[in-house]
Amino acid sequence: MQKERMDKWLLWLTITLVAFGFVVFFSASLGLLAKSGQAEFASVVFTQLVFGIIGGFIFMYTMSSIPYQFWRKYSLYFFVGSLFLTLMVFVPHIGFSHGGATRWINLGPFTFQPSEFLKISFVIYFATWATNAKKHIQSLKYGVLPLGVMLGVTGLILLKEPDTDALMIITSAAIGMFIVAGGRWKHFIGIFVTGLLLGVFLFFSVGYIHNRVIVFFHPQTEIYGAGYQVHQAMIAIGSGKIFGRGLGQGVQKFTYLPEAIGDSVFAVLGEELGFLGGLFLIGLFVAFAARGFIIANRAKDQFGRLLAVGIVIIIVAQAYLNISSMLGIFPLSGLPLTFVSHGGSALLIALGMVGILLNVSRTAKKTPLTR
């Protein structure tokens, strides 16, 4: 039997996203050079380039070579292992805190967020469970309740950190996979209402969520406090107009814009490359999502279909929530911009997920429209 090739369109879209993202990231990191000096700048760029991009593409190639059915066989072990790894952030001298959140594990030379592993392991385990459940997923007892348990256990750990952003992304992927797996729409509505009620509870009980929502509806009330980052991001994006100031010519990254290489990197893009630059990046993610869903639709089995859907939602939803928060059309999130923001481990895992998706594409049914 001849070995099928991976989907070339998805591969080139990924390469373009990473290459374009690194150009934007490098420009944004010039602000760090001015603020913190050459050593910090070199360390950040080295981590992103070597660990994130080079290591990420090696990881992507490795994942694309592993038959995706392998993950189904060991899905429970991966999921439980990632939950345990996420709990490790609470262990003294291992867990690392920043900005009031405990989300990182410190391994000396570098740190990483175990929630990145939790995202993909949840997708793999849920895809396995939903495939095995078959038509039982349409029932409340054997469909909705197990999903609630999975999200509940995951949510308790992530809310403890707290990391509501990661929980929101995982929940989005779970709901999308639940619908594709054949879940009933009335159950989806019930899950949606439950999520809204949980959101209301978190609004009144978690301080930083309360502040984000208040700033979202009243952005001018906290421009020097909780709304400072969004306010400065809007200034940066607005000053870019249609064509931008020019690559490397932005000024907000040197002075006022917080987290210019992190979750505010889209604001740097907007200032330097303007509306057209932002539209180009958004278009790349639209094309990535479209190609990913085509692969899911052509997958040879239910597990591959659900796995592909979950991976696409994890990657694209995170990107769009980041962009939306910078544009002021969604409350501020601490989510990095996929393939662009600083974070070697996040980029590594994202490219690894693309590798799994590429492996699904190897055995997908081919048609003239999908070649």
Side-chain angles (χ1 to χ4, degrees):
M1 179 178 178
Q2 186 177 0
K3 189 175 182 180
E4 295 287 354
R5 294 181 179 180
M6 66 181 69
D7 190 277
K8 63 180 181 180
W9 290 106
L10 184 74
L11 176 61
W12 280 109
L13 281 168
T14 303
I15 292 173
T16 305
L17 276 165
V18 173
F20 182 69
F22 182 72
V23 171
V24 174
F25 164 81
F26 186 84
S27 179
S29 65
L30 294 176
L32 184 65
L33 175 62
K35 294 176 183 178
S36 304
Q38 187 174 356
E40 182 74 13
F41 167 78
S43 174
V44 165
V45 173
F46 177 84
T47 301
Q48 189 78 354
L49 180 60
V50 176
F51 185 65
I53 296 180
I54 297 176
F57 275 115
I58 293 173
F59 191 42
M60 184 184 78
Y61 176 78
T62 302
M63 293 296 102
S64 71
S65 302
I66 299 175
Y68 67 88
Q69 289 289 347
F70 168 84
W71 307 109
R72 180 178 180 179
K73 185 177 180 180
Y74 298 102
S75 60
L76 178 60
Y77 301 105
F78 291 130
F79 183 51
V80 173
S82 65
L83 287 173
F84 177 78
L85 188 64
T86 306
L87 284 169
M88 292 291 288
V89 301
F90 303 112
V91 178
H93 308 298
I94 295 179
F96 173 71
S97 299
H98 174 70
T102 306
R103 304 174 184 172
W104 297 266
I105 288 179
N106 187 0
L107 296 180
F110 64 94
T111 60
F112 70 94
Q113 281 187 265
S115 61
E116 297 296 332
F117 294 93
L118 183 57
K119 291 174 186 175
I120 181 58
S121 68
F122 183 95
V123 166
I124 293 171
Y125 181 67
F126 184 78
T128 300
W129 171 80
T131 300
N132 293 336
K134 298 180 180 179
K135 291 186 178 181
H136 291 298
I137 200 170
Q138 297 182 352
S139 71
L140 180 65
K141 182 177 180 180
Y142 297 106
V144 178
L145 290 182
L147 172 60
V149 171
M150 285 181 245
L151 286 175
V153 172
T154 303
L156 286 175
I157 297 175
L158 291 176
L159 289 176
K160 180 65 177 177
E161 294 187 358
D163 192 352
T164 52
D165 301 320
L167 177 58
M168 186 163 47
I169 295 298
I170 290 173
T171 302
S172 300
I175 291 175
M177 295 166 71
F178 176 77
I179 294 173
V180 172
R184 294 181 180 273
W185 280 99
K186 66 178 183 180
H187 292 158
F188 162 73
I189 294 173
I191 294 171
F192 182 75
V193 172
T194 302
L196 286 179
L197 294 176
L198 177 61
V200 172
F201 171 76
L202 293 175
F203 170 77
F204 286 106
S205 60
V206 181
Y208 80 94
I209 295 179
H210 181 272
N211 290 337
R212 286 181 182 181
V213 175
I214 293 298
V215 168
F216 174 69
F217 286 106
H218 305 284
Q220 300 302 319
T221 58
E222 291 285 345
I223 60 174
Y224 297 109
Y228 180 79
Q229 184 174 357
V230 175
H231 182 69
Q232 295 302 323
M234 295 294 288
I235 292 175
I237 294 172
S239 65
K241 300 182 180 178
I242 300 297
F243 300 102
R245 296 177 181 270
L247 187 63
Q249 302 303 310
V251 297
Q252 284 290 100
K253 64 190 178 188
F254 292 106
T255 51
Y256 304 109
L257 188 61
E259 303 293 338
I261 63 173
D263 50 320
S264 295
V265 72
F266 183 79
V268 176
L269 183 154
E271 182 181 11
E272 298 187 352
L273 299 180
F275 172 78
L276 293 180
L279 189 63
F280 176 70
L281 181 65
I282 292 172
L284 286 176
F285 277 112
V286 170
F288 181 95
R291 198 64 197 179
F293 287 136
I294 287 174
I295 292 171
N297 186 52
R298 299 296 177 182
K300 70 173 185 178
D301 56 27
Q302 179 78 328
F303 176 70
R305 183 176 302 109
L306 295 176
L307 187 60
V309 167
I311 288 174
V312 171
I313 293 176
I314 288 285
I315 291 175
V316 177
Q318 178 167 314
Y320 283 148
L321 285 178
N322 172 277
I323 293 171
S324 298
S325 66
M326 289 296 100
L327 293 174
I329 57 178
F330 190 82
L332 180 67
S333 71
L335 291 167
L337 179 52
T338 318
F339 302 128
V340 184
S341 292
H342 175 239
S345 61
L347 182 53
L348 183 80
I349 298 302
L351 287 172
M353 287 192 284
V354 173
I356 297 174
L357 186 56
L358 286 170
N359 185 265
V360 175
S361 76
R362 287 181 183 272
T363 57
K365 304 171 187 176
K366 301 295 190 299
T367 69
L369 293 177
T370 58
R371 289 187 186 278

